[in-house]
């Protein structure tokens, strides 16, 4: 049987071997509660502090400005809802939010919660056909009542890199906070919180080869959050609950490895991405490849095919040995078209996202292209279209 080809790195990378080793090592020596004063607790604290310093340095913040969470989704909720809680506690009366229409569903749902449950006014900014936000459209909405603007760094479905720096300027003019959801770029694209102009930045370890269920929120000098779940004073009261020290230690190691190999991993993936983008429409009729060619995430290729059901496509490709994802990253069971593609106004039918890792070779890409062409043709034939 042919080897499996995993092409869903934008959902979760395989755990890097160094991170797996770090997790095993930390589980043996740093399993105790890091807030306790005994020797076992101090061992856990020591590892936690070192991992925090590593992750903070990776995104260019002070280690006191980093909050560990249970993944990207929780980091996002802390950035959106926790920032609103902190502002309210300081008597800030701003109750206006702006986000882009192509944010990850965790950002959209958190913003909608502030709107629906707490009376905030929410403006959702559209994107162009490549999935890119217009910074002038954001700037036109931001004023002195705006608490925060939420714009991702790279889109998780079509890979568009957003002009966050230009958005940051509009935010700074009006004293609004900028949250940049960098879950798809931390460890994959060179960045820093300051370089992006962000006040809050969110990351997910599963997207750069760290453990699943670990993420973090990094805060700039103006970024303040108040804990969403309370109960103790850990993490400077920004997030209560016992820290997963082995998971955090493994995240820091994954991030170090990712950053050390960033250029090589980026270039290798970019070659495969451009190859797939070029060959897909050459090989298969009536397909649309989405997202920008330049200024894009190196690992994401999004393609829709007319006259084909996306879920059927994913399951036939799976049977043929290829793991890809269909539709929006969190709506795979909802049957709804991807909100990202809808916002872009492009073909939503028969959609798959192919996400490349550093191990993905051109041979893998060619094998995928052959399988894709064959599966699309068979599905079209079985529905009587061709
Ligand atoms: C842009 C973006 N934000 C947030 C998340 C949520 O991260 P997690 O899966 O770690 O909860 C994801 C996950 O796909 C994402 O792509």
């Amino acid at each position: 049987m042919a080897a499996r080809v995993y092409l869903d790195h934008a959902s979760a990378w395989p755990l890097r071997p160094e991170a797996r080793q770090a997790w095993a090592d930390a589980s043996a020596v740093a399993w105790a509660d890091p807030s306790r004063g005994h020797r076992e607790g101090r061992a856990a604290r020591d590892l936690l502090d070192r991992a925090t310093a590593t992750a903070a340095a990776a995104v260019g913040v002070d280690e006191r400005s980093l909050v560990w969470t249970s993944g990207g989704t929780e980091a996002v909720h802390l950035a959106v809802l926790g920032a609103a809680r902190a502002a309210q506690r300081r008597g800030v009366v701003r109750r206006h939010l702006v986000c882009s229409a192509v944010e990850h569903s965790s950002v959209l749902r958190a913003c909608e919660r502030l709107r629906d449950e707490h009376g905030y006014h929410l403006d959702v900014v559209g994107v162009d056909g490549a999935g890119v936000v217009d910074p002038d459209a954001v700037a036109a909405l931001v004023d002195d009542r705006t608490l925060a603007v939420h714009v991702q760094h790279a889109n998780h479905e079509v890979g568009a890199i957003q002009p966050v720096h230009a958005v940051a300027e509009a935010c700074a003019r009006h004293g609004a906070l900028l949250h940049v959801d960098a879950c798809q770029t931390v460890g994959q694209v060179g960045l820093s919180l300051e370089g992006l102009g962000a006040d809050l930045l969110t990351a997910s370890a599963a997207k750069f080869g760290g453990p699943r269920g670990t993420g973090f929120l990094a805060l700039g000098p103006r970024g303040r959050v108040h804990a969403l779940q309370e109960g103790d004073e850990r993490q400077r009261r920004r997030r209560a609950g016992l820290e997963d020290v082995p998971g955090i230690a493994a995240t820091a190691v994954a991030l170090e490895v990712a950053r050390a190999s960033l250029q090589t991993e980026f270039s290798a993936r970019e070659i495969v991405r451009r190859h797939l983008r070029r060959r897909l429409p050459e090989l298969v009729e009536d397909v649309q490849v989405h997202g920008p060619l330049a200024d894009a995430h190196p690992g994401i290729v999004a393609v829709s095919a007319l006259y084909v059901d996306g879920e059927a496509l994913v399951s036939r490709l799976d049977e043929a040995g290829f793991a890809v994802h269909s539709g929006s990253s969190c709506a795979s069971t909802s049957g709804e078209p991807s909100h990202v593609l809808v916002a872009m106004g492009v073909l939503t039918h028969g959609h798959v996202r192919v996400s490349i890792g550093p191990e993905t070779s051109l041979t893998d890409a060619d094998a995928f292209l052959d399988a894709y062409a064959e599966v699309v043709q068979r599905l079209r034939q079985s529905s009587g279209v061709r």
Side-chain angles (χ1 to χ4, degrees):
M1 209 176 90
R4 295 277 304 169
V5 178
Y6 182 76
L7 295 169
D8 194 16
H9 291 77
S11 295
W13 282 41
L15 193 59
R16 290 181 191 263
E18 297 88 345
R20 185 178 302 125
Q21 187 60 50
W23 190 89
D25 293 347
S27 297
V29 297
W31 44 268
D33 183 337
S35 65
R36 300 294 176 252
H38 43 62
R39 186 187 301 175
E40 291 79 0
R42 288 199 306 276
R45 165 60 54 193
D46 182 47
L47 204 53
L48 176 58
D49 287 348
R50 279 191 281 134
T52 306
T54 302
V59 292
V61 300
D62 183 276
E63 57 242 49
R64 284 167 305 184
S65 305
L66 194 115
V67 190
W68 293 105
T69 64
S70 66
T73 299
E74 190 195 333
V76 160
H77 276 248
L78 192 53
V80 179
L81 299 157
R85 285 195 86 185
Q88 258 171 15
R89 289 170 70 91
R90 282 183 294 119
V92 176
V93 289
R94 294 169 177 248
R95 294 176 80 80
H96 174 230
L97 306 169
V98 180
C99 72
S100 92
V102 295
E103 293 305 301
H104 187 262
S105 46
S106 57
V107 176
L108 293 174
R109 296 295 96 79
C111 288
E112 287 161 9
R113 189 149 151 197
L114 283 178
R115 180 193 63 195
D116 299 341
E117 295 178 16
H118 301 277
Y120 282 68
H121 181 74
L122 171 64
D123 278 314
V124 180
V125 184
V127 291
D128 66 14
V132 182
V133 176
D134 174 3
D136 293 336
V138 178
L141 290 165
V142 179
D143 62 26
D144 294 350
R145 292 164 304 166
T146 309
L147 174 66
V149 174
H150 304 274
V151 175
Q152 61 197 182
H153 189 201
N155 182 260
H156 48 292
E157 283 188 52
V158 300
I161 299 274
Q162 304 295 356
V164 284
H165 208 273
V167 172
E169 284 166 18
C171 291
R173 273 199 299 281
H174 294 283
L177 297 168
L178 174 62
H179 162 221
V180 175
D181 178 13
C183 282
Q184 288 295 343
T185 48
V186 167
Q188 304 191 54
V189 171
L191 59 80
S192 70
L193 176 134
E194 195 183 351
L196 294 172
D199 299 297
L200 307 107
L201 178 139
T202 41
S204 165
K207 321 287 190 225
F208 54 78
R212 285 88 268 278
T214 307
F216 60 82
L217 165 66
L219 301 167
R222 297 189 320 124
R224 290 195 184 82
V225 294
H226 188 81
L228 300 180
Q229 72 263 46
E230 292 164 283
D232 57 48
E233 300 187 354
R234 289 168 203 268
Q235 303 211 59
R236 298 182 165 75
R237 295 183 177 216
R238 295 171 182 140
R239 199 263 189 181
L242 181 55
E243 299 91 342
D244 171 13
V245 179
I248 289 170
T251 298
V253 168
L255 200 44
E256 270 182 318
V257 175
R259 292 183 74 225
S261 40
L262 199 125
Q263 259 332 312
T264 33
E265 291 189 347
F266 188 102
S267 312
R269 297 164 83 196
E270 184 66 5
I271 290 168
V272 177
R273 180 179 79 91
R274 288 186 179 241
H275 180 69
L276 284 171
R277 282 186 67 110
R278 186 171 55 79
R279 291 294 287 145
L280 278 162
E282 285 174 4
L283 279 172
V284 188
E285 277 177 34
D286 292 328
V287 296
Q288 253 184 28
V289 176
H290 307 300
L293 179 60
D295 290 330
H297 188 286
I300 297 178
V301 176
V303 58
S304 302
L306 265 179
Y307 320 121
V308 178
D309 174 63
E311 289 305 327
L313 195 49
V314 169
S315 87
R316 295 295 188 289
L317 284 167
D318 188 38
E319 285 159 21
F322 300 88
V324 297
H325 179 66
S326 110
S328 77
S329 57
C330 292
S332 69
T333 51
S334 71
E336 292 288 314
S338 144
H339 71 273
V340 173
L341 300 187
V342 170
M344 290 163 62
V346 296
L347 181 66
T348 58
H349 212 73
H351 179 62
V352 295
R353 178 187 67 187
V354 182
S355 51
I356 306 154
E359 315 277 293
T360 312
S361 65
L362 282 173
T363 312
D364 294 333
D366 282 334
F368 168 78
L369 287 164
D370 289 344
Y372 179 82
E374 197 187 314
V375 167
V376 169
Q377 193 190 11
R378 266 196 281 129
L379 286 172
R380 284 176 176 168
Q381 272 166 358
S382 67
S383 58
V385 180
R386 293 281 151 94

